[in-house]
């Protein structure tokens, strides 16, 4: 198995008995939680409308928000897509298995429920060994949104899935902490120029190195191109304030009741709690820590959260996009 630079090989034990159990549940139209290198997913049979309906129900997700189908590689994509354009193929060859989702024209086998009635389907080949083992053993595409309730912080550990979905999921496959930590980058290759619908684990700069300049979907619109990618998403329960740097904080301010999600250095002023995304300013490390730290601050006793925006390059773009959506208020 090949790994691109953004997917360091990892040492995760695949528990074959657990995979067998998961396959049996998937075959009967049930759901299971599976680890991927980006975030944990809530998995169901991609070709079974009853299983897809169950995913929407467990997540409390609106039906207009379509799902990603997970496959093992390009052959798997051909099982759900009508065709694969040249740029899409190039991107798949570079990033799969890995944190990239392609929007491709769907074929007739894909249920309407998976695509929310759209003529296109989202497809991704994850690199996590447990996800790969599950898709292989199941022998077909697996639909999986992130395993959180709709709009909330995505889970990057099995424990976080348990807290999010608990008893609603009969089985949570253990796969350690997700090494990428933010969701896949979504690229629509059906237009003239590839269009980034969601910044994510595959850096835009690396995508442009393969297919040339790309367009970006307006980050916030009332009818978003990635339909589930609403203005308010990835949100903690507590109030969130964003700053561009620590210098924006009031040096004489009282932040004792606030939690700080710092980027690469600690503040001079005292906070109730401080978490540091990456002491060396490494954006990959910051992305890997992002959701778990946001969750930890949300679950702590602080009353509000302040987060420092990292630079908008590499995986910093994905972090910034999620921070922006986490902060924006429900209209
Ligand atoms: O990393 C990931 O992508 C994770 C792991 C589990 O693979 N999955 C994930 O799924 O983030 P979810 O459902 O939370 O986000 C999928 C996004 C949604 O915003 C959805 O609107 C968009 O993909 N999407 C799905 N099908 C689409 C389509 N045909 N056209 C445009 N956007 C689509
Ligand atoms: Mg999600």
């Amino acid at each position: 198995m090949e790994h691109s630079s953004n997917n360091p090989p990892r040492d995760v034990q695949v528990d074959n008995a657990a995979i067998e159990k998961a396959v049996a549940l998937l075959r009967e139209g049930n759901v299971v939680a599976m680890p991927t290198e980006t975030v944990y997913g809530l998995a169901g049979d991609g070709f079974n409308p009853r299983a897809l309906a169950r995913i929407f129900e467990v997540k409390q997700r609106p039906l207009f928000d379509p799902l990603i189908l997970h496959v093992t590689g390009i052959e798997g994509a051909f099982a759900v897509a009508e065709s694969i354009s040249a740029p899409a193929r190039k991107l798949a060859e570079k990033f799969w298995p890995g944190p990239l989702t392609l929007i491709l024209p769907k074929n007739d086998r894909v249920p309407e429920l998976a695509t929310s009635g759209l003529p296109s389907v989202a497809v991704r080949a994850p690199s996590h060994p447990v996800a790969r083992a599950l898709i292989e053993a199941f022998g077909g595409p697996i639909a999986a949104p992130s395993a959180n309730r709709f709009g909330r912080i995505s889970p990057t550990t099995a424990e976080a899935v348990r807290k999010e979905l608990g008893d609603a999921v009969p089985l949570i496959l253990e796969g350690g902490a997700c090494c990428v930590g933010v969701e896949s980058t979504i690229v629509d290759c059906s237009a003239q120029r590839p269009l980034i619908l969601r910044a994510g684990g595959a850096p835009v700069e690396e995508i442009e190195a393969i297919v040339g300049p790309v367009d970006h979907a307006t980050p916030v619109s009332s009818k978003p191109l990635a339909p589930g990618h609403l203005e308010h998403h990835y949100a903690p329960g507590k109030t969130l304030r964003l700053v561009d740097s620590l210098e924006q904080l009031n040096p004489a301010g009282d932040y004792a009741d606030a939690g700080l999600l710092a980027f690469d250095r600690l503040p001079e002023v005292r906070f109730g709690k401080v978490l540091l995304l990456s002491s060396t300013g490494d954006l990959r490390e910051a992305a890997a820590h992002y959701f778990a730290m946001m969750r930890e601050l949300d679950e702590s006793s602080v009353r509000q959260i302040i987060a420092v925006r990292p630079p908008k390059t590499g995986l910093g773009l994905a972090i910034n996009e999620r921070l922006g959506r986490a902060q924006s208020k429900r209209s």
Side-chain angles (χ1 to χ4, degrees):
M1 175 164 77
E2 262 199 35
H3 290 271
S4 64
S5 57
N6 32 322
N7 300 298
R10 31 177 312 141
D11 238 1
V12 175
Q13 216 50 37
V14 177
D15 175 348
N16 288 318
I19 295 286
E20 252 173 60
K21 235 187 252 171
V23 167
L25 287 163
L26 293 178
R27 292 234 161 92
E28 67 190 36
N30 217 322
V31 293
V32 302
M34 75 169 176
T36 83
E37 73 281 16
T38 57
V39 301
Y40 275 69
L42 179 62
D45 179 349
F47 283 152
N48 179 348
R50 213 159 41 85
L52 300 172
R54 180 74 189 136
I55 291 176
F56 283 99
E57 180 187 28
V58 169
K59 258 195 80 111
Q60 296 164 352
R61 175 172 175 131
L63 292 174
F64 61 72
D65 187 4
L67 305 173
I68 296 174
L69 296 184
H70 295 71
V71 297
T72 50
I74 292 183
E75 324 73 57
F78 272 114
V80 297
E82 190 60 46
S83 60
I84 302 182
S85 67
R89 180 181 272 277
K90 275 196 214 162
L91 289 173
E93 278 164 3
K94 158 79 179 166
F95 290 99
W96 283 1
L100 176 80
T101 293
L102 294 171
I103 304 297
L104 303 170
K106 83 186 259 301
N107 69 18
D108 292 342
R109 289 188 70 193
V110 179
E112 297 271 299
L113 207 46
T115 63
S116 301
L118 293 173
S120 58
V121 62
V123 192
R124 172 166 113 78
S127 67
H128 194 293
V130 174
R132 290 183 68 76
L134 182 62
I135 301 163
E136 235 154 67
F138 179 63
I142 290 182
S146 50
N148 51 281
R149 277 170 297 124
F150 185 68
R152 298 266 303 132
I153 300 172
S154 305
T156 53
T157 62
E159 185 49 35
V161 177
R162 220 161 273 127
K163 283 183 186 151
E164 275 292 319
L165 302 177
D167 298 339
V169 189
L171 176 66
I172 299 172
L173 292 173
E174 178 59 63
C178 302
C179 64
V180 175
V182 289
E183 291 86 347
S184 57
T185 303
I186 303 180
V187 187
D188 184 343
C189 290
S190 60
Q192 282 288 70
R193 258 184 201 215
L195 176 67
I196 307 283
L197 298 183
R198 174 175 76 184
V204 171
E205 296 89 334
E206 290 183 22
I207 289 171
E208 292 191 317
I210 306 288
V211 292
V214 296
D215 285 326
H216 292 259
T218 38
V220 173
S221 76
S222 55
K223 196 165 183 296
L225 281 160
H229 216 201
L230 303 174
E231 181 179 353
H232 187 80
H233 215 94
Y234 310 114
K238 289 173 182 161
T239 315
L240 173 67
R241 180 186 153 205
L242 303 183
V243 296
D244 290 322
S245 77
L246 291 174
E247 281 62 45
Q248 254 173 275
L249 298 171
N250 178 357
D254 180 5
Y255 296 103
D257 72 346
L260 180 74
L261 185 60
F263 170 49
D264 59 350
R265 62 200 164 90
L266 298 171
E268 313 252 303
V269 286
R270 201 170 60 83
F271 274 83
K273 186 176 178 76
V274 177
L275 295 176
L276 193 58
L277 286 173
S278 168
S279 59
T280 58
D282 178 340
L283 289 164
R284 286 186 198 283
E285 186 188 13
H289 289 155
Y290 174 69
F291 280 126
M293 289 186 171
M294 188 60 95
R295 183 176 293 275
E296 188 178 338
L297 288 172
D298 203 26
E299 286 168 357
S300 75
S301 60
V302 300
R303 294 186 45 198
Q304 57 156 327
I305 301 170
I306 298 177
V308 181
R309 284 183 178 279
K312 293 179 179 156
T313 55
L315 288 200
L317 187 63
I319 300 172
N320 270 281
E321 197 177 282
R322 281 152 187 75
L323 281 171
R325 288 179 205 278
Q327 178 203 38
S328 95
K329 285 280 161 286
R330 269 170 229 275
S331 46

